Amino acid sequence: MAAILGGGLGGLSTGYYLLKNNLKSNNNLKLFLLEATNYCGGWIKSIRTKDYVFEQGPRTIRPKGVTGLNTLNMIEDLGLSEHLAPIKSDHPAAKNRMIYVNKNLHILPSSLMSVFQKSQPFSKPLIYALFNDIKSPHKELRDDSIYNFVERRFGKEIADYAISPMICGICAGDAKEISVKFLMKTLFEWEQNHGGVVKGLMKSMFNSKTDDTMELSSLAKRAKEEKWNVYTIRGGLEIFPESIHDYLIENNVDVNLNTKIEEIEFKDSSTVELKKSTGESLKANHVYASIPAYALATLVKRQHPQLAQNLSDIPFVTVGIVNLYFDSSKDLIEPAFGFLVPPIENSPILGVVFDSCCIPDQNGTVLTVMLGGRWFNEKFGENVTEDQLYDIAMNEIVRILNIKEKPAACNVNILKQCIPQYVIGHYERVEKIRRYIQENNLPISLVGCSYDGVGINDVIYSAKTQVEDHA
Ligand SMILES: Cc1cc2nc3c(=O)[nH]c(=O)nc-3n(C[C@H](O)[C@H](O)[C@H](O)COP(=O)(O)OP(=O)(O)OC[C@H]3O[C@@H](n4cnc5c(N)ncnc54)[C@H](O)[C@@H]3O)c2cc1C
């Protein structure tokens, strides 16, 4: 018997892959999923009306790379292919990604041609960044912040105007703290092994080997052929976890909602007891923990304080989300994915997504303002209210986008400790945590966004690899 702790995307995907494994190996492993709230899907939550969709958490998924293609395989298997709304590479939401600098919106260069042209706010064409890399000396390091790495190799402007806002957009974090391995592991290895990124790229072109060993579904092949940039799900991303949940129920997984686990007691290498807040408990041979690392830390602390310490050292940030719907028939925004604000601008917002440009079937203009992240407490304090966040967001919408209309509908949420921060040393810490588990023969596997990547694709892929590793 196996227990899955947490019913977010990580826990649901673990259930999906355990069922697939059961089928493959003709096993009949009984599965339990334990979720503290009355909902499966974790941060993925959509509000759907006839006029608009508000996404309170994630909204777009990337189709590229092994992890992206793996998600598409899963989506096809769940029968969701027809629900996908792809954004192809020639769509304005793919081409027009903006940053707000010096009181202006600037479109970031996205084509090969634009790399040779000077475009604001950069003072030189981006091609100069490559010359910078070629002439910059090599610095030997085990890890570094992504900001330091990019500043050293490509110059300060790229670090400030391209990488820092990108890190805000991906994990609401500070590029000066986030590990270079989070997004640029290969480039960092090229610097460390070959003395620079361009030098590493040249060498890799001679030794290039393809890792295209994964079997692709027809959906994954279509996404590759049609050059999808990102995709969303028609009617809201929530449909995705709902479908996995239904699949688990149809295949007799015992899904327990409103079941908060308060302690995990390891009995021996194949027995673990999960103690519920009601005082009851459940025994399993193995537990797949998909809850955030800080939450898991409190559950294992009594028996394993050292493990708990390492888990709680993975920091998380809080994000404010303000969804706005304007029912005006006028075009209130230029077609684009949205804009991000580099931290050096010291704005109260991280950025704005133009949902009506990325998500289909919206009857008007839909925007989502993201606030806080790594700077939530210093900018707003711990006691900020949803009304205050709404006012701050609206002020910025008026100031930056010059929208004078009042929204016809809105939704404000403060997502407490919602995104883990892969700070310098993260990957070594995760290795240490998994080594401790192995050396102590603890029947537990770690999945979810705390360890192997913060995005939807990473979480699903991590569930797959953890299930395969334990099979
Ligand atoms: C605002 C925001 C925007 C995002 N945008 C994108 C995007 O556009 N694209 C993308 O790819 N990714 C995005 N992400 C990331 C993506 O949402 C996450 O990777 C993913 O949802 C994490 O899933 P998870 O299962 O690891 O964690 P969670 O969603 O946190 O699920 C954990 C579950 O465990 C439960 N739980 C916690 N403690 C206990 C306990 N003691 N007992 C039982 N249950 C417990 C919780 O209730 C929860 O349901 C975004 C995230 C956020 C917050």
Side-chain angles (χ1 to χ4, degrees):
M1 188 180 113
I4 301 161
L5 182 53
L9 193 63
L12 291 168
S13 311
T14 305
Y16 170 89
Y17 285 114
L18 283 168
L19 286 173
K20 293 285 164 197
N21 222 35
N22 267 354
L23 271 179
K24 222 173 21 187
S25 50
N26 228 348
N27 243 345
N28 203 10
L29 181 70
K30 178 72 192 149
L31 304 177
F32 285 82
L33 186 146
L34 311 159
E35 164 56 43
T37 68
N38 63 358
Y39 167 76
C40 271
W43 294 118
I44 306 179
K45 280 197 180 127
S46 319
I47 297 174
R48 299 169 251 180
T49 75
K50 69 176 182 26
D51 289 322
Y52 58 84
V53 176
F54 283 165
E55 293 290 4
Q56 302 177 69
R59 68 208 59 237
T60 52
I61 308 178
R62 289 181 65 79
K64 295 195 181 121
V66 174
T67 60
L69 294 167
N70 177 62
T71 303
L72 288 165
N73 286 354
M74 183 194 216
I75 285 178
E76 179 170 291
D77 187 51
L78 291 167
L80 280 178
S81 304
E82 296 312 310
H83 291 263
L84 297 201
I87 294 172
K88 297 183 187 164
S89 52
D90 56 353
H91 190 280
K95 289 195 296 187
N96 301 340
R97 289 176 182 253
M98 299 186 285
I99 53 170
Y100 183 71
V101 173
N102 295 331
K103 301 198 172 71
N104 280 302
L105 287 171
H106 306 277
I107 295 179
L108 285 171
S110 64
S111 66
L112 188 61
M113 269 311 286
S114 57
V115 170
F116 295 94
Q117 291 153 356
K118 180 170 151 318
S119 52
Q120 289 289 336
F122 301 98
S123 60
K124 291 185 198 137
L126 292 190
I127 188 76
Y128 278 85
L130 298 185
F131 300 140
N132 197 72
D133 172 64
I134 292 165
K135 66 179 197 312
S136 295
H138 160 230
K139 189 172 177 189
E140 209 167 299
L141 293 165
R142 286 191 61 206
D143 197 354
D144 199 358
S145 76
I146 192 161
Y147 184 96
N148 275 351
F149 171 75
V150 171
E151 186 185 25
R152 174 168 73 246
R153 304 271 24 127
F154 304 118
K156 184 168 164 37
E157 283 186 352
I158 309 262
D160 280 331
Y161 298 138
I163 294 305
S164 294
M166 194 198 285
I167 292 294
C168 290
I170 297 174
C171 68
D174 185 348
K176 292 183 174 163
E177 296 171 357
I178 300 295
S179 165
V180 59
K181 297 177 192 170
F182 177 58
L183 279 189
M184 298 187 169
K185 186 164 179 275
T186 307
L187 306 199
F188 181 60
E189 284 169 358
W190 284 344
E191 181 200 44
Q192 293 304 306
N193 300 333
H194 305 296
V197 174
V198 175
K199 287 179 197 157
L201 175 69
M202 305 288 233
K203 291 216 168 111
S204 79
M205 280 176 5
F206 289 110
N207 314 324
S208 77
K209 55 173 188 308
T210 158
D211 56 358
D212 269 359
T213 47
M214 189 193 296
E215 213 174 298
L216 296 187
S217 60
S218 47
L219 182 66
K221 285 183 193 149
R222 202 182 116 207
K224 262 184 139 177
E225 277 157 24
E226 294 179 1
K227 296 195 170 61
W228 294 7
N229 183 269
V230 289
Y231 61 94
T232 62
I233 298 190
R234 238 171 241 283
L237 212 66
E238 199 176 282
I239 291 172
F240 189 14
E242 274 172 8
S243 305
I244 314 177
H245 172 259
D246 294 349
Y247 178 79
L248 301 195
I249 298 285
E250 280 160 24
N251 288 281
N252 303 321
V253 176
D254 197 337
V255 175
N256 296 254
L257 298 179
N258 301 309
T259 304
K260 184 165 188 219
I261 298 303
E262 290 202 325
E263 195 181 354
I264 297 179
E265 193 175 321
F266 297 100
K267 302 283 191 191
D268 57 43
S269 62
S270 61
T271 320
V272 54
E273 187 173 354
L274 300 145
K275 300 186 178 173
K276 303 181 192 175
S277 53
T278 53
E280 297 159 71
S281 67
L282 178 96
K283 276 198 183 143
N285 303 112
H286 196 85
V287 58
Y288 292 86
S290 77
I291 63 177
Y294 64 82
L296 181 61
T298 62
L299 307 194
V300 297
K301 193 170 173 192
R302 192 177 56 82
Q303 276 186 320
H304 295 281
Q306 193 189 330
L307 175 63
Q309 184 58 52
N310 281 320
L311 287 166
S312 56
D313 282 345
I314 299 173
F316 276 65
V317 297
T318 296
V319 176
I321 297 284
V322 180
N323 304 108
L324 302 164
Y325 167 62
F326 301 88
D327 59 3
S328 163
S329 55
K330 280 192 298 182
D331 285 337
L332 300 180
I333 47 169
E334 293 297 320
F337 188 83
F339 66 87
L340 290 162
V341 189
I344 45 163
E345 291 291 305
N346 203 18
S347 160
I349 66 170
L350 297 168
V352 178
V353 183
F354 296 178
D355 291 312
S356 38
C357 191
C358 322
I359 303 174
D361 311 324
Q362 312 261 36
N363 202 3
T365 300
V366 182
L367 306 175
T368 301
V369 186
M370 309 215 189
L371 305 96
R374 167 66 183 83
W375 301 271
F376 194 95
N377 283 348
E378 72 196 55
K379 287 215 194 297
F380 312 123
E382 281 187 16
N383 302 319
V384 67
T385 64
E386 292 179 353
D387 286 349
Q388 286 168 327
L389 283 188
Y390 171 82
D391 289 342
I392 295 167
M394 275 311 293
N395 275 343
E396 294 303 286
I397 289 291
V398 173
R399 191 171 71 87
I400 300 173
L401 295 174
N402 200 23
I403 294 179
K404 303 276 167 49
E405 277 81 350
K406 261 192 135 3
C410 74
N411 173 65
V412 186
N413 256 296
I414 299 175
L415 310 182
K416 290 230 163 88
Q417 302 215 68
C418 64
I419 308 189
Q421 303 290 288
Y422 288 14
V423 295
I424 300 170
H426 172 84
Y427 296 89
E428 291 73 16
R429 181 176 293 130
V430 171
E431 240 178 74
K432 198 161 141 192
I433 290 171
R434 289 208 167 107
R435 206 177 319 123
Y436 181 97
I437 289 172
Q438 200 184 11
E439 284 168 3
N440 289 275
N441 285 321
L442 304 182
I444 186 168
S445 300
L446 306 179
V447 292
C449 61
S450 303
Y451 313 102
D452 306 310
V454 302
I456 284 177
N457 292 330
D458 306 310
V459 166
I460 294 173
Y461 198 72
S462 155
K464 183 178 187 225
T465 49
Q466 290 304 308
V467 167
E468 283 169 358
D469 283 358
H470 185 65

